[in-house]
């Protein structure tokens, strides 16, 4: 249905009259019927949000297409169309010997700019290229002079804590640093060091890299290139600095699954979160073994198969952002859905053309399309075959597929002629293969058995895939099984989410799991199920979980992670006390200009308590909804422990016991 008045209004608002929108929406599912035919009062009340969506569609379209095949490093399969990502919280544990013969364990991975959650929008960092491509090296030189990079370099100084190294001696005779005019690399101290943390250089020999396939590039021997290469090699040589992430024994970080309940309770703060500090750099004793340092600079890729990688929960290794895969799926999901929504609102085929262009490039095109699997997602690099295999956490990277399928469903329901039978057939084939992989592969089965946000997002992918294929009954069954089982242990009586509260950034992870829970509830609306009022075994609902998160301090975490969830809870359950509106005004005063304000209206929620009273009304009623008193249910170990044993994984190399979780179920 065409809405000409809305269309022209939106176009007029595009002239920079509404605030800038966030780069990425949360994972979400928007009612298809609501988008195709929104009530007139919604159109007027959400005009700024709709304008933001349309403007975002234009912005994405101006950036070109997105592809997993656009990087400089291929998956271990050698196929550029295979999705590849690295485990974000793992850091190289290179035990290089220093000049004095001891271990130098300098790098802590402490970088405030790089503590983004896994899957967050990648920083625009140039991909690594070890083949001397002059265009790349010029981009790299420009990048290293940028303000953001210099900020990281400043933070690197504190990690070295004054240790000095003679790099010319470290690299050996004939190294490219020797004789450089004006270079003061010899004897660099922590005060003068100019490099980025999180180095990925290292290695013991010049043998060809096994498994990861690097793209070839042109070489140039000009003086200009020589200077650039010398500067880059100097930067890489600094990254040879012996690195080691701090051990659990050297920190106050709560070692999940290694503590007793007594230790756990002692370590808890008043906000029931693990405490942590950064271990300082140190040199090991002469008796400790170390690996002889390289005698010449090696390509960064050598580290990937030479050094073991260790986990630092909540600290993102910056080099994971040099791969295109994570950013590509995140960006293409918004590009497709925003253009599909813009088409449905304006009936302008240009938006449909853009959406289809993105679909073809990311999924269908033989050169740029992604293969329908995540066999190489979130690889934990390191020596041996395990360093070349994907992990179960990699499936989380593809959670943006829910938005892609939502966008395509809107495009098809709106009747776009641009979505042809050939495109439809190709996408159906891709999704069919991916759905089979998702539910039958070893990695898919592993994530399906988890108890935290990983399984919640996994269910969203499976349900969305079944809905897209026309199997609404199958989608409903998947969602019902989740809410009958895994969900039952996810929310305590207080509204706390114990599996998420145990992490180093509990507010982020509370909001993260809520993102998936709300998506699943909205998918339930789409297939005729009401999961908003489903209670956990302790009598808590999604609303209780949002309320609890609102009460907790953010302690430096981002409160706008929670604002979309507050908006949808207000629309679903009502806002009798006005607390939801107050939260939005406090933490995101321009909420009505955010895309989610259009998504989270009462009319978009088929099972909204307010919808049942006054269909389609905009805003929040002051009608109190009182439930029955909740019984005190004694704590029981979550069922996931019956399946996986006494140590349940929260993420790669991060486990928790039932005793450790109990504190979060019983806290007030």
């Amino acid at each position: 249905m065409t809405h000409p008045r809305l269309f022209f209004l939106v176009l007029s608002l595009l002239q920079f009259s509404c605030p800038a929108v966030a780069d990425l929406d949360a994972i979400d599912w928007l009612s298809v019927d609501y988008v195709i035919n929104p009530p007139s009062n919604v159109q007027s009340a959400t005009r700024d949000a709709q304008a933001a969506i349309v403007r975002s569609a234009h912005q994405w379209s101006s950036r070109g297409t997105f592809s997993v095949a656009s990087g400089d490093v291929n998956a271990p399969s050698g196929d550029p169309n295979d999705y590849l990502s690295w485990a974000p919280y793992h850091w190289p544990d290179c035990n290089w010997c220093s000049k004095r013969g001891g271990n130098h364990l300098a790098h802590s991975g402490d970088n405030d700019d790089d503590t983004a959650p896994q899957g967050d929008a990648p920083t625009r960092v140039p991909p690594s290229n070890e083949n001397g491509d002059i265009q790349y090296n010029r981009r790299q030189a420009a990048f290293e002079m940028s303000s953001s990079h210099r900020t990281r370099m400043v933070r690197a100084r504190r990690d070295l804590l004054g240790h000095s190294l003679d790099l010319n001696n470290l690299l050996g005779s004939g190294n490219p640093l020797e004789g450089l005019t004006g270079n003061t690399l010899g004897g660099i101290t922590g005060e003068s060091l100019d490099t980025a943390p999180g180095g990925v250089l290292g290695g013991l020999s010049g043998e060809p890299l096994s498994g990861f396939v690097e793209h070839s590039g042109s070489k140039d021997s000009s003086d200009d290139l020589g200077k650039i290469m010398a500067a880059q090699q100097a930067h890489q040589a600094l990254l040879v600095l012996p690195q080691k992430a701090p051990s659990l024994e050297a920190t106050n970080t709560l070692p999940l699954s290694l503590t007793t309940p007594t230790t756990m309770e002692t370590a808890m703060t008043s906000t029931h979160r693990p405490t942590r500090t950064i271990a300082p750099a140190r040199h090991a004793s002469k008796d400790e073994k170390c690996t002889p340092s390289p005698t010449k600079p090696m390509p960064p890729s050598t580290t990937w198969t030479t050094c073991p990688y260790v986990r630092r929960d909540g600290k993102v290794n910056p080099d994971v952002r040099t791969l295109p895969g994570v950013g590509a799926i995140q960006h293409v999901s918004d590009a497709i859905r925003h253009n599909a929504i813009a088409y449905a609102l304006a009936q302008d085929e240009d938006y449909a053309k853009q959406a289809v262009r993105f679909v073809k490039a990311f999924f269908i095109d033989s050169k740029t399309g992604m293969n329908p699997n995540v066999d190489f997602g979130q690889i934990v690099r390191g020596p041996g075959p395990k360093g070349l295999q994907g992990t179960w956490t990699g499936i989380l990277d593809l959670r943006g597929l829910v938005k892609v399928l939502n966008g395509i469903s809107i495009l098809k329901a709106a009747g776009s002629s641009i979505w042809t039978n050939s495109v439809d057939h190709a996408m159906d084939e891709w999704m069919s293969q991916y759905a089979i992989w998702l539910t039958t592969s070893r990695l898919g089965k592993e994530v399906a058995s988890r108890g935290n946000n990983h399984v919640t997002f996994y269910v969203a992918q499976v349900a969305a895939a079944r809905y897209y294929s026309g199997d609404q009954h199958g989608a409903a069954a998947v969602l019902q099984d989740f809410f009958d089982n895994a969900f039952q242990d996810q929310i305590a009586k207080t509204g706390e989410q114990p599996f998420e509260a145990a992490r180093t950034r509990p507010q982020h992870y509370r909001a993260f799991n809520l993102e998936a829970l709300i998506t699943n509830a909205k998918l339930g609306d789409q297939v005729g199920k009401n999961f908003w009022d489903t209670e956990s075994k302790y009598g808590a609902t999604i609303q209780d979980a949002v309320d609890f998160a609102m009460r907790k301090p953010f302690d430096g975490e981002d409160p706008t992670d929670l604002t979309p969830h507050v908006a949808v809870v207000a629309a679903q359950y009502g806002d009798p006390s006005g607390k939801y509106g107050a939260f939005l005004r406090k933490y995101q005063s321009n909420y009505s200009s955010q895309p989610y304000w259009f998504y989270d209206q009462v009319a978009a929620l088929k099972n909204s308590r307010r919808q049942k009273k006054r269909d389609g009304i905009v805003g929040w009623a002051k009608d109190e909804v009182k439930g029955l008193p909740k019984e005190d249910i004694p704590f029981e170990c979550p069922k996931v422990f019956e399946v996986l044993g006494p140590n349940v994984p929260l993420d790669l190399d991060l486990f928790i016991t039932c005793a450790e979780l109990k504190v979060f179920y019983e806290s007030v």
Side-chain angles (χ1 to χ4, degrees):
M1 178 179 180
T2 304
H3 307 287
R5 291 178 61 191
L6 174 63
F7 177 47
F8 290 116
L9 174 62
V10 167
L11 287 183
S12 67
L13 290 172
L14 287 176
Q15 303 305 313
F16 308 102
S17 61
C18 57
V21 297
D23 284 343
L24 295 169
D25 284 346
I27 306 305
D28 195 10
W29 184 271
L30 182 56
S31 168
V32 174
D33 295 337
Y34 165 78
V35 180
I36 301 302
N37 189 24
S40 59
N41 55 348
V42 168
Q43 293 178 19
S44 60
T46 63
R47 62 185 183 182
D48 288 348
Q50 292 181 51
I53 294 167
V54 173
R55 185 176 63 183
S56 175
H58 280 278
Q59 291 172 341
W60 287 121
S61 298
S62 69
R63 294 181 61 176
T65 57
F66 305 98
S67 168
V68 300
S70 61
D72 295 312
V73 180
N74 289 341
S77 64
D79 187 341
N81 300 96
D82 274 337
Y83 179 88
L84 171 66
S85 68
W86 291 326
Y89 298 148
H90 281 72
W91 294 74
D93 193 23
C94 301
N95 193 20
W96 304 122
C97 298
S98 71
K99 185 177 179 181
R100 295 193 298 274
N103 297 342
H104 184 81
L105 312 177
H107 198 273
S108 68
D110 185 28
N111 184 337
D112 293 341
D113 281 348
D114 292 315
T115 56
Q118 57 185 340
D120 274 11
T123 304
R124 291 185 62 81
V125 178
S128 60
N129 182 317
E130 296 82 39
N131 297 286
D133 185 285
I134 187 169
Q135 183 180 6
Y136 165 79
N137 287 300
R138 284 173 175 157
R139 292 200 311 270
Q140 176 74 0
F143 164 70
E144 291 177 358
M145 294 174 65
S146 68
S147 60
S148 62
H149 184 70
R150 291 187 65 81
T151 299
R152 289 193 175 112
M153 293 194 291
V154 170
R155 289 197 174 97
R157 294 170 184 149
R158 73 185 181 198
D159 281 342
L160 292 171
L161 299 178
H163 290 295
S164 63
L165 291 171
D166 185 340
L167 289 178
N168 283 311
N169 287 336
L170 174 65
L171 297 177
S173 61
N175 77 73
L177 303 181
E178 201 168 36
L180 283 179
T181 59
N183 114 58
T184 57
L185 294 173
I188 279 181
T189 68
E191 293 301 315
S192 61
L193 179 68
D194 224 353
T195 186
V200 291
L201 183 65
L204 304 177
S205 69
E207 297 177 0
L209 181 66
S210 173
F212 291 99
V213 182
E214 301 170 58
H215 294 183
S216 61
S218 61
K219 296 181 180 292
D220 195 303
S221 59
S222 67
D223 291 341
D224 181 44
L225 176 59
K227 292 178 181 178
I228 295 174
M229 287 297 293
Q232 186 184 22
Q233 287 175 325
H235 172 70
Q236 291 178 337
L238 290 171
L239 298 182
V240 175
L241 292 174
Q243 305 162 63
K244 192 175 183 70
S247 66
L248 290 174
E249 290 77 8
T251 72
N252 290 332
T253 304
L254 181 66
L256 295 178
S257 83
L258 300 178
T259 59
T260 64
T262 302
T263 307
M264 173 71 174
E265 292 168 12
T266 302
M268 300 306 297
T269 67
S270 60
T271 54
H272 302 289
R273 58 184 297 184
T275 57
R276 60 182 301 277
T277 58
I278 302 300
R282 67 180 180 88
H283 284 277
S285 68
K286 294 181 179 180
D287 295 333
E288 291 185 52
K289 294 182 180 180
C290 60
T291 301
S293 299
T295 58
K296 60 182 179 179
M298 304 300 298
S301 54
T302 308
T303 299
W304 307 340
T305 53
T306 302
C307 300
Y309 276 64
V310 296
R311 181 186 181 85
R312 299 200 70 243
D313 193 32
K315 292 293 182 181
V316 176
N317 187 336
D319 81 333
V320 304
R321 293 173 171 137
T322 63
L323 299 177
V326 174
I329 182 60
Q330 291 176 336
H331 294 161
V332 81
S333 64
D334 267 14
I336 292 170
R337 191 167 75 156
H338 283 182
N339 274 283
I341 294 171
Y343 169 72
L345 295 175
Q347 289 292 295
D348 184 337
E349 290 285 6
D350 284 343
Y351 296 118
K353 289 178 182 178
Q354 294 298 327
V356 172
R357 180 171 68 95
F358 287 121
V359 169
K360 287 181 176 179
F362 191 90
F363 296 100
I364 299 173
D365 186 272
S366 59
K367 292 183 178 179
T368 61
M370 173 184 159
N371 291 332
N373 65 72
V374 197
D375 284 328
F376 304 103
Q378 295 200 17
I379 290 176
V380 177
R381 290 164 286 177
K386 286 188 176 181
L388 303 174
Q389 299 172 0
T391 59
W392 57 272
T393 60
I395 291 175
L396 187 68
D397 290 358
L398 266 287
R399 63 192 185 278
L401 188 62
V402 174
K403 290 190 289 186
V404 170
L405 299 180
N406 192 195
I408 295 175
S409 297
I410 291 169
L411 200 64
K412 292 168 70 173
S416 171
S417 61
I418 305 300
W419 188 263
T420 63
N421 288 336
S422 61
V423 174
D424 192 53
H425 176 75
M427 190 62 195
D428 283 350
E429 181 64 22
W430 194 98
M431 276 307 305
S432 175
Q433 293 181 40
Y434 179 72
I436 292 172
W437 180 90
L438 188 63
T439 55
T440 63
S441 67
R442 174 183 60 84
L443 298 179
K445 290 178 180 179
E446 284 184 21
V447 74
S449 69
R450 301 318 189 221
N452 62 342
N453 64 76
H454 284 277
V455 73
T456 317
F457 277 109
Y458 170 82
V459 167
Q461 284 195 55
V462 175
R466 293 194 177 179
Y467 171 81
Y468 179 79
S469 71
D471 183 10
Q472 293 202 24
H473 177 76
V478 168
L479 293 166
Q480 188 69 60
D481 181 74
F482 167 77
F483 280 98
D484 286 347
N485 292 285
F487 173 78
Q488 291 297 305
D489 291 310
Q490 285 193 347
I491 308 178
K493 178 183 177 181
T494 60
E496 176 64 285
Q497 300 173 75
F499 284 99
E500 314 307 329
R503 302 295 293 273
T504 57
R505 292 177 295 133
Q507 280 290 64
H508 162 71
Y509 281 102
R510 290 182 186 113
F512 196 48
N513 193 52
L514 279 166
E515 183 178 331
L517 287 174
I518 288 168
T519 297
N520 289 340
K522 288 186 174 183
L523 279 163
D525 286 349
Q526 189 72 61
V527 297
K529 289 281 189 176
N530 178 10
F531 296 115
W532 297 100
D533 297 325
T534 299
E535 296 182 345
S536 71
K537 71 165 63 170
Y538 301 101
T541 65
I542 291 172
Q543 182 183 24
D544 294 314
V546 171
D547 289 349
F548 183 90
M550 287 171 59
R551 296 194 300 269
K552 302 301 287 185
F554 285 91
D555 292 335
E557 299 185 65
D558 187 358
T560 63
D561 285 349
L562 195 61
T563 50
H565 313 330
V566 172
V568 72
V569 163
Q572 172 64 34
Y573 300 96
D575 190 15
S577 66
K579 64 182 179 182
Y580 300 129
F583 186 93
L584 291 178
R585 288 188 294 272
K586 178 179 180 180
Y587 291 109
Q588 195 167 32
S589 60
N590 66 339
Y591 63 87
S592 63
S593 297
Q594 301 300 315
Y596 68 75
W597 186 244
F598 174 64
Y599 308 156
D600 295 333
Q601 290 296 310
V602 174
L605 304 170
K606 294 181 179 179
N607 290 297
S608 167
R609 291 175 179 173
R610 289 193 44 244
Q611 178 83 310
K612 296 174 182 178
K613 298 187 70 173
R614 289 180 291 178
D615 185 40
I617 193 169
V618 179
W620 304 322
K622 300 293 183 180
D623 47 342
E624 188 77 43
V625 179
K626 295 182 179 180
L628 296 174
K630 298 174 183 177
E631 298 179 6
D632 285 328
I633 306 296
F635 170 76
E636 295 178 347
C637 283
K639 287 185 178 179
V640 67
F641 287 95
E642 298 176 9
V643 177
L644 301 179
N647 297 293
V648 166
L650 298 178
D651 210 304
L652 296 175
D653 301 328
L654 184 68
F655 299 84
I656 197 164
T657 67
C658 179
E660 291 163 348
L661 272 179
K662 183 178 181 182
V663 136
F664 298 101
Y665 283 99
E666 297 181 341
S667 63
V668 178

